[in-house]
Amino acid sequence: MDEENKEISETFLELAKNELKIESIDKEVEQYKIRKMESVYNERDTLIEKIPSFWKIVLSQHLDFANYIRASDFKYIDAIDKITVKYASDIEKIGSFSITFHFNEIKDDFPAQIISKNFKLMKNVPDQKKSGQDNEEENTEETKFDEIELEEKLTSEISDVQWPKEYNSINPDLIKDKKSPEGKKSYRQGMKSFFGWFRWTGLKPGKEFPHGDSLATLLSEDLYPYCVKYYTEAQRDFADEDSYSDDTSEEGIDLSEEEQDNEEPAKKKIHTS
Amino acid sequence: MDEENKEISETFLELAKNELKIESIDKEVEQYKIRKMESVYNERDTLIEKIPSFWKIVLSQHLDFANYIRASDFKYIDAIDKITVKYASDIEKIGSFSITFHFNEIKDDFPAQIISKNFKLMKNVPDQKKSGQDNEEENTEETKFDEIELEEKLTSEISDVQWPKEYNSINPDLIKDKKSPEGKKSYRQGMKSFFGWFRWTGLKPGKEFPHGDSLATLLSEDLYPYCVKYYTEAQRDFADEDSYSDDTSEEGIDLSEEEQDNEEPAKKKIHTS
């Protein structure tokens, strides 16, 4: 039995090494992709600029994006003229990226501005509490796995965005009394607005824009890469709505087909990613 | 205005070409990944064989997998000794793959067997009904997008698997009267069992194993690539359960931490894929 245990123990060690190889290949693949895509994405950025309201249409089409945005923020989302994402391609920086927003002016309320927000993937050192709970009787194989399975998390720095005048009452920089119940409430409202997201760092969970990392990932892994698909889908939906208004009086609406249409985005993502 | 329309029309054409470039790079990246991973996956397959009950633990750990499997099928899922996935790496075959299951014998019920099931990604020609509905007034840009946006779908061939004796009453090959209500019911039950999945082709929707393509994708894109992570998580959960049974009397269970643990798999997938 001891011999058998020793062999299994060695197998786990080999398996841990194998996992490291897989992680390393994952990064090489990501680097290969980023480098191949760069010029094509640049070309696309230039083409998209010529299409009126491209990003307004894409961002209002995307169901999941709307979950991160308060209704009152959409006025400023609609002012986004251009979005670009740059992905770091150095092997040790894979997973880091930068999102740049070009905002149009809204007269007497909001200045035109170009704001970048940088995101970094950091190896997460297990926190004190967790490592304190470690069971010393744990068998060695598991410990080996744990060592290589440090979780990674996204972090960012505060980006200096100019807030709309309309948001003066919830702009964290303008709230003088942050300790009164009223002040706290306004502060929280501001931090939960789209402009609050530009202050998200990932270092103060519970005190920042909620799920700021997920919104960043949504932009870098879904909205930007598949923006043309979302734009096309939106155009098709508009066309469908037009034809419905002509035809429904005679035939009624075929609900089953509408359902099929709704399923499309998820399926496409699987095949193209 | 006419000049402007012409320019936008040209932009859409350029954008469609750009999308084709992106699709082509996606395939190159996939090919690069498959070729890089092949030897590491082979090495891993060999290591995993030395770990007792590896696949039983992985398959019972995975929450989504259980959604595809009827409770009574788990006896045969537990008999799976080995799973391997081979991914086609020729550019024109990217997206096609083959899953091989090694089943252990269950005495007097189920023979040991090795069964492969092949999946092919096929360009889906839009069906008659849909193209018949095309609106002739549609502007040309959309038509161009439609041309390059043929949906792809997964298809397969029937794999010849030997069913357990216990399933004789629902084994489609043994049901003589498939037209009686009783016969139909048994037939449907069989087709919805895990063994019914081996008959899934993707060509007769509604008459085959439900969501057979999703189960295939779950195996090829999630369970096989991340099997070691799922195994490690299962081992950790077992360890947690042990320590709970020792400690809970004093401290109670920290639910908030348990929730964090449950979130882990999804997060990991994002970072490693």
Side-chain angles (χ1 to χ4, degrees):
Chain A
M1 272 304 283
D2 229 21
E3 194 55 38
E4 205 178 294
N5 266 337
K6 204 185 145 207
E7 207 202 311
I8 288 190
S9 192
E10 272 164 22
T11 304
F12 278 114
L13 191 62
E14 290 299 313
L15 209 49
K17 282 186 202 157
N18 182 277
E19 279 292 282
L20 286 177
K21 283 186 205 165
I22 290 177
E23 267 181 38
S24 155
I25 292 174
D26 275 335
K27 287 195 173 167
E28 280 174 57
V29 170
E30 198 54 31
Q31 181 183 55
Y32 182 82
K33 180 178 180 175
I34 291 164
R35 291 186 172 163
K36 284 253 168 191
M37 285 291 186
E38 195 174 14
S39 66
V40 188
Y41 278 160
N42 286 343
E43 183 189 82
R44 191 177 68 172
D45 291 340
T46 313
L47 290 168
I48 284 172
E49 275 189 81
K50 296 181 193 162
I51 301 173
S53 306
F54 180 90
W55 283 105
K56 180 179 168 176
I57 289 166
V58 168
L59 295 174
S60 59
Q61 165 76 2
H62 198 283
L63 293 174
D64 197 18
F65 179 72
N67 292 333
Y68 295 93
I69 308 298
R70 307 174 320 152
S72 51
D73 288 346
F74 264 99
K75 181 175 166 186
Y76 305 104
I77 296 295
D78 287 351
I80 295 173
D81 189 41
K82 183 176 174 181
I83 298 177
T84 57
V85 181
K86 298 289 173 203
Y87 307 88
S89 66
D90 290 354
I91 277 291
E92 70 277 11
K93 288 183 185 163
I94 293 290
S96 300
F97 56 92
S98 166
I99 311 179
T100 303
F101 299 84
H102 298 241
F103 287 99
N104 285 329
E105 183 192 12
I106 297 177
K107 213 166 169 274
D108 297 329
D109 181 28
F110 184 64
Q113 52 188 321
I114 299 173
I115 308 293
S116 293
K117 190 158 172 64
N118 305 318
F119 295 88
K120 233 162 54 180
L121 202 56
M122 284 176 63
K123 287 271 175 195
N124 198 7
V125 182
D127 58 27
Q128 293 297 334
K129 194 182 149 213
K130 242 187 179 170
S131 54
Q133 283 181 337
D134 270 350
N135 189 340
E136 282 188 26
E137 286 152 294
E138 255 180 349
N139 52 37
T140 45
E141 298 90 276
E142 277 176 43
T143 316
K144 272 163 208 155
F145 273 121
D146 282 349
E147 276 166 24
I148 62 154
E149 283 220 11
L150 292 178
E151 241 182 277
E152 289 176 315
K153 73 169 188 176
L154 213 55
T155 60
S156 186
E157 298 142 23
I158 295 174
S159 291
D160 205 15
V161 65
Q162 281 186 270
W163 290 51
K165 283 187 193 148
E166 227 179 60
Y167 280 9
N168 276 352
S169 67
I170 60 166
N171 181 338
D173 290 334
L174 301 179
I175 298 171
K176 277 170 198 145
D177 176 15
K178 282 173 193 156
K179 294 197 169 161
S180 71
E182 197 55 40
K184 272 187 192 170
K185 197 184 156 196
S186 302
Y187 178 84
R188 283 200 198 105
Q189 263 192 297
M191 292 302 273
K192 286 180 182 173
S193 78
F194 182 58
F195 298 99
W197 178 70
F198 286 91
R199 297 185 172 231
W200 182 87
T201 65
L203 303 173
K204 299 174 188 167
K207 298 187 173 176
E208 300 190 309
F209 184 91
H211 308 293
D213 50 347
S214 306
L215 176 52
T217 308
L218 184 75
L219 284 157
S220 72
E221 294 186 1
D222 185 13
L223 268 164
Y224 182 70
Y226 303 113
C227 61
V228 172
K229 292 219 157 93
Y230 288 119
Y231 179 84
T232 321
E233 274 164 25
Q235 296 300 67
R236 206 174 287 157
D237 288 354
F238 291 149
D240 283 356
E241 275 166 34
D242 285 353
S243 65
Y244 280 146
S245 60
D246 292 348
D247 299 346
T248 44
S249 50
E250 292 166 38
E251 307 168 33
I253 295 168
D254 182 353
L255 282 178
S256 66
E257 209 195 308
E258 199 169 45
E259 268 171 36
Q260 277 179 357
D261 282 350
N262 288 342
E263 278 175 33
E264 273 181 26
K267 275 189 203 158
K268 267 182 207 153
K269 258 186 269 170
I270 290 172
H271 296 322
T272 48
S273 68
Chain B
M1 273 303 283
D2 229 21
E3 194 56 38
E4 206 177 294
N5 266 337
K6 204 185 144 207
E7 207 201 311
I8 289 189
S9 192
E10 272 165 22
T11 304
F12 278 114
L13 191 62
E14 289 300 314
L15 209 49
K17 281 186 203 158
N18 182 277
E19 278 292 282
L20 286 177
K21 284 186 203 165
I22 290 178
E23 266 181 40
S24 154
I25 293 175
D26 275 335
K27 287 195 174 168
E28 279 174 57
V29 169
E30 198 55 31
Q31 181 183 56
Y32 182 82
K33 181 178 179 174
I34 290 165
R35 290 186 173 164
K36 284 252 168 193
M37 284 292 186
E38 195 174 15
S39 66
V40 188
Y41 277 160
N42 286 343
E43 182 189 83
R44 191 177 70 172
D45 291 340
T46 313
L47 290 168
I48 284 173
E49 275 189 80
K50 295 181 193 161
I51 300 172
S53 306
F54 180 89
W55 283 105
K56 180 178 168 175
I57 289 166
V58 168
L59 296 174
S60 59
Q61 165 76 3
H62 198 284
L63 292 175
D64 197 18
F65 178 72
N67 292 333
Y68 295 92
I69 308 298
R70 308 175 319 154
S72 51
D73 288 347
F74 265 99
K75 180 174 165 187
Y76 305 104
I77 297 294
D78 287 351
I80 296 172
D81 188 42
K82 182 177 175 180
I83 298 176
T84 57
V85 181
K86 298 290 173 202
Y87 307 88
S89 67
D90 290 353
I91 277 291
E92 70 277 11
K93 287 184 186 163
I94 294 289
S96 300
F97 56 91
S98 165
I99 310 179
T100 303
F101 299 84
H102 298 240
F103 287 98
N104 285 329
E105 183 192 11
I106 297 177
K107 213 167 170 276
D108 296 330
D109 181 28
F110 184 64
Q113 52 188 320
I114 299 173
I115 309 292
S116 293
K117 191 159 172 64
N118 304 319
F119 295 89
K120 232 162 56 179
L121 202 56
M122 284 176 63
K123 287 271 176 195
N124 198 6
V125 182
D127 57 28
Q128 292 298 333
K129 193 182 148 214
K130 242 186 177 170
S131 55
Q133 283 181 337
D134 269 350
N135 188 340
E136 281 188 26
E137 286 152 295
E138 254 180 351
N139 51 38
T140 44
E141 298 89 280
E142 277 176 43
T143 317
K144 272 164 208 154
F145 273 120
D146 282 349
E147 275 166 24
I148 63 154
E149 283 219 12
L150 292 178
E151 242 182 276
E152 289 176 314
K153 72 169 189 176
L154 213 55
T155 60
S156 185
E157 298 142 24
I158 295 174
S159 291
D160 205 15
V161 64
Q162 281 186 271
W163 290 52
K165 282 188 194 149
E166 227 180 60
Y167 280 9
N168 276 353
S169 66
I170 60 166
N171 181 339
D173 290 334
L174 301 180
I175 299 171
K176 277 169 199 147
D177 176 16
K178 281 172 193 157
K179 294 197 168 160
S180 71
E182 196 56 40
K184 273 188 191 169
K185 198 185 155 195
S186 301
Y187 178 84
R188 283 200 197 104
Q189 262 192 297
M191 291 303 272
K192 286 180 181 173
S193 78
F194 182 58
F195 298 99
W197 178 69
F198 286 91
R199 297 187 172 228
W200 182 87
T201 64
L203 303 174
K204 299 174 189 167
K207 298 189 173 176
E208 300 190 308
F209 184 91
H211 307 293
D213 50 347
S214 307
L215 176 53
T217 308
L218 185 76
L219 284 157
S220 71
E221 293 186 2
D222 184 13
L223 268 164
Y224 182 70
Y226 303 114
C227 61
V228 172
K229 292 217 157 93
Y230 288 118
Y231 179 84
T232 321
E233 275 165 26
Q235 296 300 67
R236 206 174 285 156
D237 288 354
F238 291 148
D240 283 357
E241 274 166 33
D242 285 353
S243 65
Y244 279 146
S245 60
D246 292 349
D247 299 347
T248 44
S249 51
E250 293 165 38
E251 307 169 32
I253 295 168
D254 182 354
L255 281 179
S256 65
E257 209 194 308
E258 198 168 46
E259 269 171 37
Q260 278 179 357
D261 283 350
N262 288 341
E263 277 176 34
E264 273 180 26
K267 275 189 202 158
K268 266 182 207 155
K269 259 186 268 170
I270 289 171
H271 296 322
T272 47
S273 68

